[in-house]
Amino acid sequence: MKLPFRRPGTRPERQSARSGGQWRSLLRLRSAAGQVFVLQVGLVLLLVAAAVTAQVVQARQDATSRAREKSVAVAQAFAHAPGVADAIQGPDPAKVLQPRAEAARKDAGVDFIVLMNRKGIRFTQPDPSLIGKKFVGTIEPSLRGRTTVERVTGPRTGGDIHVVQAVVPVRDSDGRIVGLASAGLAIRSVTGMINQQLPIILGAGAAALIAVTAGTALISRRLLRQTHGLGPAEMTRMYEHHDAVLHAVREGVLILDSERRLLLANDEARRLLALPTGTERRHVTELGLDEGMAQLLTSGEAVTDEVRLSGNLLLAVNIRPTAPHGDEPGSVVTLRDTTELSAVSGRAQVARERLKLLYESGVRIGTTLDVARTATELAEVAVPGFADLAAVDLLDEVVRGQEPDSQAQRRVRRVTVSDRPEGMPLYEVGEVITFRAGSPQARALEAEQAVLEPDLHRAEAWLRHDPDRARRTLEYGVHSLITVPLRARGVVLGIAHFWRSGDSPAFDEDDVSFSEELAARAAVAIDNARRYTREHAMAVTLQRSLLPRGLPEHSALEAAWRYVPAEAGVGGDWFDVIPLSGARVALVVGDVVGHGLHAAATMGRLRTAVHNFSSLDLPPDEVLAHLDELVVRIDDEDSSAGLASVRQYQEVAGATCLYAIYDPVTGSCTLARAGHHCPAVVYPDGTVSYADVPASPPLGLGGHPFETTELRLPEGAHLVLYTDGLVETRDRDIDTGLEILRETLEGTAGSSPEETARAVADTVMPAHPSDDVALLVARARRLDLGQVAEWQVPPDPAAVAPVRTECAARLREWGLEEIGHTTELILSELITNAIRYGRPPIQVRLLHDDDSLICEVSDGSGTSPHLRRASTMDEGGRGLFLVAQFAQRWGTRYIPGGKVIWTEQYLRAGPSARAAEQLTTDALLDQFDDTGW
């Protein structure tokens, strides 16, 4: 039979050759089909190995399970066999039990049956040499009645093998455990079982391998069918598309091999790096790149968006290795031009910093209501975030808190200068400056707009203003200036200067806008501080005008005082020393609730009222009662006048007051207080105590009584009156303050009032008081007994002449003969009226000090005399008129059980008063009458 002839190259042959070549190509390990085939063959072999392993493990487990079951069954059967328990307890257990155990072992097909006593000593053993020796195994659980099964290794011919042995208890007829029975069986080899099953497993594996081969063939044909339509043209088109995308993107791409040679560079990469032609297969260091860029590309490290300078461009570089994705190790580099983005980002960063600086200015400028401090805060904010140097000049009116005059001469005062290099010739703080016309500062003040000088070397007007200072300023590297007026409420308050020096860029128009915004915010804060300064100065002026400018000299005491207004605003603290009749003196200290002008005005009203009430010679409790009614009336008037909105912020609903009257004749001091602190008393021996004055409510509550107390002050004792601002602060409670005051006063024993006041002010008074502080220190004096003269007068008109004679004699002793005739007339009138219109007892007292002579006539009547001018036809009513003519002062005061009519005659120059010798006889007769009471 002949085969059909076919020429070489016929279609069947070509197809067969092409098919064989395709199969060989597909089955190569580098092809997908070959890799799938190898993977499937590996899976089949893995499954066959797993099956064989599973069979071996299963065979071993089955053998172990069978050995366990058989050894337990044999051991239990032999242990329960008749006569075993009796034989164990017999005289020779081994002789009786050994033959039976060996016979049972052979019949049961186990490797050994061992009987032992409770201590594990063997009675039977296949190897007789081991009889009498201790059993190897665990017997303790079986001694407690349990069956013990364990796997041990025992010696056998051919080496050690695994044995499964069971130990069970042997019980006698009473159920007691008298011994133990053990049976063991070696785990047999499973080779035979595996030999039986191995052909089946291998056959299954061969079938699986055949199935895998067939599946691979089918997959290969499938792949051939799926790629059959993709010819060279289509593959070329795909490459062209890939190449077009690679070279058209706006991102440079470089591909480097493991030796950092350039394999590919797209057009954008060549443009960004300025690569010449013919750079493929050349090392990175041979491409003419910047040193930093070349080091980055040769480092071999992964990089993400690292910005590097290449020529005039800022490039964001990303480097990733190709090893996990390509056949050969290398790296892919992408380059992106970020020059414009960096510029935009830089401007955005500057804008963010400016916004942050403006926010800080709102927080840091204006923290206090002090003009100079606010200007300093402006300079601190501007440096170094905006400028290298800054200075602020303000109009003199603004510094003083006055309203600035827009038409005033542009003279400013340097208020603050930022930290600057030593020796830099800037105007010093406090220096008055008048800017020359045409200078940047003068133009800014006139136009009320910021003026920019980006290059001070070319700023002719600035150089002409002060050539020497300008030259020396430029030597320190200052090169750019912005001067901007501080304008608030349409009025220029001053001017701010910002300089840049050294390597800092020159100011531009954007900086001008920012400086104006910064200056506008600062100007509002400065204007607020100026207005507060003005109002504070007005309130302080008002308050000081209402307080005593000095204390009167008085024979009863020596006084010193201190007054310090609060830094945050004046309050209503006040003090006073008021001379009273009979050489007595009143000491007053008080505090109006609240701060501001309203509190100061209320304080003035209360101080005036205290003077008026004191002129009536009222006791302390009555003075406080009248003040209480006055404060209630003030509050009612404010409420009815529509001041409720003001009182919401400046509450003046009350006041505190301490009122004391000191009598130098008796040394007694009568005190009453309304919500005020007790005064301190410093005795001559240095002992300090706080007077126990009964507490009463503050003034303004209305309807509450006030109590008094009386102290005896020895000669030289100090009475210290104060307001709560002295002893109570925000960081110090009142108890601590009172203790510090006590310790300070103890150290001032024997000092003058002025020295005591100075010590208290330096030690106890706060450095920055938040409340007004008023301090009054008075040292008590006593009148000598020789300066006082007293007489009891019988209620008889004939007694007037003897008393008058004795008084004249006493005046001669005091050296007061020149006023003797006048004093006799005064006493004659007062004594006569007391006898005629008063009630006993009647007493006359003369008080003499260096400045005055006081005449007092007291009686038991409460009738109050009054002064009137008698007409021509009146027979009386001229007595008190004559007394008023002869004495400088006169009055009436009430005492318990009566009243006192007193007169005072000055011994030195004082208010005019005619002596009796100056009146003509006719005038004297016309005016004199004893019926004037």
Side-chain angles (χ1 to χ4, degrees):
M1 181 177 178
K2 293 183 179 180
L3 294 175
F5 173 77
R6 295 183 182 276
R7 291 181 299 173
T10 59
R11 180 178 178 85
E13 291 176 352
R14 290 198 303 269
Q15 184 175 2
S16 176
R18 184 178 66 181
S19 176
Q22 289 174 343
W23 277 101
R24 287 191 300 272
S25 176
L26 288 172
L27 292 179
R28 284 200 301 266
L29 291 179
R30 300 187 63 179
S31 66
Q35 292 175 356
V36 170
F37 177 76
V38 172
L39 177 62
Q40 291 178 343
V41 170
L43 288 175
V44 170
L45 295 177
L46 182 61
L47 290 174
V48 171
V52 172
T53 303
Q55 288 297 328
V56 172
V57 172
Q58 184 64 34
R60 289 187 177 273
Q61 290 179 350
D62 292 343
T64 301
S65 178
R66 287 195 299 270
R68 176 188 181 92
E69 294 173 357
K70 191 169 184 180
S71 61
V72 171
V74 172
Q76 289 180 345
F78 198 85
H80 297 155
V84 173
D86 296 334
I88 291 176
Q89 297 177 1
D92 192 0
K95 181 178 179 181
V96 177
L97 295 176
Q98 175 67 12
R100 295 179 60 182
E102 285 301 306
R105 179 181 66 80
K106 294 176 180 179
D107 293 339
V110 296
D111 291 329
F112 65 87
I113 294 177
V114 176
L115 289 173
M116 67 197 85
N117 60 12
R118 291 178 59 89
K119 295 182 180 180
I121 303 301
R122 304 181 188 185
F123 298 143
T124 66
Q125 177 69 28
D127 185 0
S129 63
L130 298 178
I131 294 175
K133 295 183 179 181
K134 188 173 181 63
F135 177 76
V136 179
T138 304
I139 64 174
E140 286 80 10
S142 299
L143 292 175
R144 293 191 295 270
R146 295 168 53 186
T147 299
T148 303
V149 181
E150 58 183 346
R151 184 172 178 175
V152 297
T153 301
R156 285 182 60 87
T157 304
D160 294 342
I161 63 173
H162 293 287
V163 176
V164 176
Q165 65 182 14
V167 181
V168 299
V170 178
R171 301 178 184 271
D172 60 5
S173 59
D174 296 332
R176 293 183 295 107
I177 299 176
V178 297
L180 301 174
S182 175
L185 181 63
I187 300 175
R188 305 304 179 186
S189 174
V190 296
T191 304
M193 183 185 303
I194 294 175
N195 291 335
Q196 295 175 1
Q197 297 180 356
L198 186 59
I200 300 174
I201 296 173
L202 294 178
L209 187 59
I210 293 172
V212 166
T213 304
T216 302
L218 293 176
I219 293 174
S220 299
R221 294 178 60 86
R222 180 80 173 171
L223 291 174
L224 286 175
R225 287 196 302 268
Q226 290 178 349
T227 60
H228 180 70
L230 188 61
E234 288 77 7
M235 296 295 293
T236 302
R237 189 181 305 111
M238 288 183 61
Y239 174 77
E240 290 175 352
H241 290 169
H242 173 268
D243 192 57
V245 172
L246 180 65
H247 293 282
V249 295
R250 290 290 306 275
E251 189 166 312
V253 179
L254 301 175
I255 299 179
L256 308 176
D257 62 8
S258 59
E259 297 180 359
R260 302 298 179 262
R261 290 192 299 268
L262 180 63
L263 300 179
L264 182 145
N266 67 349
D267 296 339
E268 183 68 8
R270 294 181 182 277
R271 183 185 71 83
L272 296 177
L273 298 178
L275 296 177
T277 58
T279 55
E280 285 76 6
R281 294 295 175 180
R282 296 175 62 181
H283 197 269
V284 170
T285 57
E286 301 174 0
L287 301 179
L289 303 177
D290 293 339
E291 182 178 358
M293 180 66 72
Q295 290 179 355
L296 181 64
L297 297 180
T298 56
S299 64
E301 299 178 355
V303 173
T304 301
D305 288 336
E306 183 168 338
V307 178
R308 289 298 181 96
L309 182 64
S310 178
N312 295 327
L313 302 178
L314 288 175
L315 304 181
V317 183
N318 290 273
I319 302 177
R320 292 292 183 273
T322 61
H325 311 288
D327 294 336
E328 296 180 359
S331 58
V332 176
V333 182
T334 60
L335 308 170
R336 186 172 67 256
D337 188 0
T338 62
T339 305
E340 296 181 0
L341 180 61
S342 298
V344 174
S345 300
R347 290 193 293 270
Q349 179 66 22
V350 171
R352 284 194 298 269
E353 292 177 355
R354 295 291 169 82
L355 288 175
K356 181 181 179 181
L357 196 60
L358 286 177
Y359 171 77
E360 291 183 357
S361 68
V363 175
R364 296 171 55 186
I365 298 178
T367 58
T368 65
L369 291 174
D370 181 80
V371 174
R373 178 57 192 165
T374 304
T376 302
E377 291 170 347
L378 169 60
E380 291 175 350
V381 169
V383 178
F386 175 66
D388 297 319
L389 296 168
V392 178
D393 305 331
L394 297 178
L395 301 178
D396 272 345
E397 295 87 351
V398 176
V399 176
R400 294 193 299 268
Q402 300 175 1
E403 190 72 24
D405 185 3
S406 59
Q407 302 301 325
Q409 184 181 5
R410 295 303 189 185
R411 295 185 62 199
V412 296
R413 185 179 300 274
R414 178 62 49 89
V415 177
T416 185
V417 180
S418 65
D419 293 337
R420 63 190 188 276
E422 185 177 356
M424 178 170 284
L426 298 179
Y427 290 103
E428 297 297 330
V429 174
E431 192 171 352
V432 178
I433 308 170
T434 302
F435 294 108
R436 185 173 180 177
S439 65
Q441 295 85 350
R443 299 202 312 269
L445 290 172
E446 293 172 1
E448 297 184 359
Q449 293 181 351
V451 174
L452 168 65
E453 292 291 349
D455 188 359
L456 291 178
H457 294 84
R458 301 179 181 179
E460 297 180 358
W462 178 76
L463 294 171
R464 287 196 303 269
H465 170 64
D466 192 339
D468 181 64
R469 190 185 299 272
R471 177 184 55 79
R472 289 185 292 137
T473 300
L474 294 176
E475 291 176 356
Y476 276 87
V478 178
H479 57 77
S480 187
L481 166 68
I482 290 181
T483 178
V484 53
L486 300 173
R487 190 168 180 268
R489 297 185 300 108
V491 179
V492 174
L493 307 177
I495 191 168
H497 315 276
F498 305 107
W499 292 277
R500 284 184 179 173
S501 61
D503 298 333
S504 300
F507 288 116
D508 55 21
E509 293 298 331
D510 292 338
D511 296 321
V512 173
S513 300
F514 175 78
S515 67
E516 291 177 337
E517 178 66 22
L518 184 62
R521 297 190 177 204
V524 173
I526 292 175
D527 187 58
N528 291 337
R530 178 198 63 81
R531 297 173 67 181
Y532 170 79
T533 301
R534 181 188 62 184
E535 294 177 0
H536 183 71
M538 292 173 57
V540 170
T541 302
L542 172 63
Q543 188 181 40
R544 291 192 179 277
S545 67
L546 297 175
L547 289 172
R549 292 180 173 83
L551 297 180
E553 293 184 3
H554 202 280
S555 59
L557 51 79
E558 178 185 358
W561 59 276
R562 291 291 186 276
Y563 177 79
V564 178
E567 289 188 349
V570 297
D573 292 16
W574 91 92
F575 64 93
D576 226 328
V577 177
I578 306 172
L580 301 177
S581 63
R584 296 171 304 136
V585 66
L587 303 175
V588 189
V589 65
D591 184 4
V592 175
V593 176
H595 292 83
L597 292 175
H598 195 196
T602 303
M603 177 270 293
R605 298 173 69 177
L606 293 181
R607 179 171 179 257
T608 302
V610 170
H611 273 269
N612 293 333
F613 296 143
S614 298
S615 66
L616 299 177
D617 269 328
L618 299 177
D621 55 337
E622 294 187 21
V623 172
L624 294 182
H626 287 296
L627 287 178
D628 183 47
E629 295 177 0
L630 177 61
V631 173
V632 172
R633 191 178 308 115
I634 291 174
D635 289 345
D636 293 340
E637 291 175 356
D638 290 346
S639 300
S640 61
L643 296 180
S645 60
V646 176
R647 288 166 55 84
Q648 181 180 359
Y649 303 99
Q650 294 182 343
E651 186 68 23
V652 187
T656 65
C657 183
L658 174 67
Y659 191 91
I661 296 178
Y662 173 65
D663 189 347
V665 177
T666 62
S668 65
C669 183
T670 306
L671 305 95
R673 65 187 178 108
H676 206 82
H677 296 294
C678 295
V681 180
V682 184
Y683 293 94
D685 60 355
T687 304
V688 178
S689 64
Y690 290 99
D692 187 12
V693 183
S696 298
L699 302 176
L701 298 182
H704 295 276
F706 298 93
E707 301 181 30
T708 62
T709 189
E710 186 172 324
L711 301 177
R712 292 290 177 179
L713 298 181
E715 177 80 20
H718 287 70
L719 187 65
V720 181
L721 288 73
Y722 52 89
T723 57
D724 57 357
L726 177 68
V727 295
E728 186 175 9
T729 62
R730 294 175 181 173
D731 55 353
R732 184 179 67 189
D733 58 34
I734 188 170
D735 293 334
T736 303
L738 291 174
E739 185 60 30
I740 296 175
L741 176 60
R742 178 197 297 274
E743 295 174 355
T744 303
L745 293 176
E746 288 176 349
T748 61
S751 302
S752 66
E754 179 62 28
E755 293 171 346
T756 301
R758 185 184 304 113
V760 172
D762 295 341
T763 306
V764 186
M765 190 175 298
H768 303 282
S770 58
D771 192 10
D772 291 11
V773 177
L775 172 66
L776 180 61
V777 181
R779 180 166 62 184
R781 295 173 178 170
R782 297 288 294 272
L783 290 180
D784 188 80
L785 295 178
Q787 296 177 282
V788 181
E790 295 181 346
W791 296 273
Q792 297 292 331
V793 181
D796 183 1
V800 175
V803 172
R804 187 171 58 228
T805 302
E806 294 182 9
C807 290
R810 182 58 60 93
L811 292 177
R812 285 192 297 272
E813 293 179 6
W814 290 342
L816 303 177
E817 295 88 347
E818 61 182 20
I819 63 171
H821 184 53
T822 302
T823 305
E824 290 181 20
L825 290 177
I826 293 174
L827 288 175
S828 296
E829 174 63 25
L830 295 181
I831 295 172
T832 301
N833 287 337
I835 294 173
R836 181 178 297 179
Y837 303 107
R839 291 201 304 261
I842 301 173
Q843 185 179 18
V844 176
R845 186 171 70 164
L846 296 181
L847 303 177
H848 163 54
D849 59 19
D850 297 336
D851 299 324
S852 63
L853 175 66
I854 300 172
C855 302
E856 296 182 346
V857 178
S858 63
D859 67 85
S861 173
T863 304
S864 176
H866 61 279
L867 177 66
R868 66 184 181 88
R869 187 176 183 86
S871 63
T872 304
M873 302 303 294
D874 288 343
E875 296 182 359
R878 298 176 178 82
L880 287 181
F881 178 79
L882 289 175
V883 171
Q885 292 292 318
F886 296 149
Q888 279 73 34
R889 297 174 59 219
W890 75 278
T892 305
R893 72 173 182 269
Y894 293 93
I895 60 176
K899 66 178 182 296
V900 176
I901 307 300
W902 58 271
T903 64
E904 185 173 1
Q905 298 168 266
Y906 295 147
L907 304 181
R908 300 179 182 178
S912 60
R914 290 178 293 178
E917 292 80 358
Q918 295 176 333
L919 294 177
T920 64
T921 303
D922 293 338
L924 184 60
L925 293 175
D926 289 341
Q927 300 297 334
F928 190 83
D929 189 87
D930 289 339
T931 59
W933 196 269

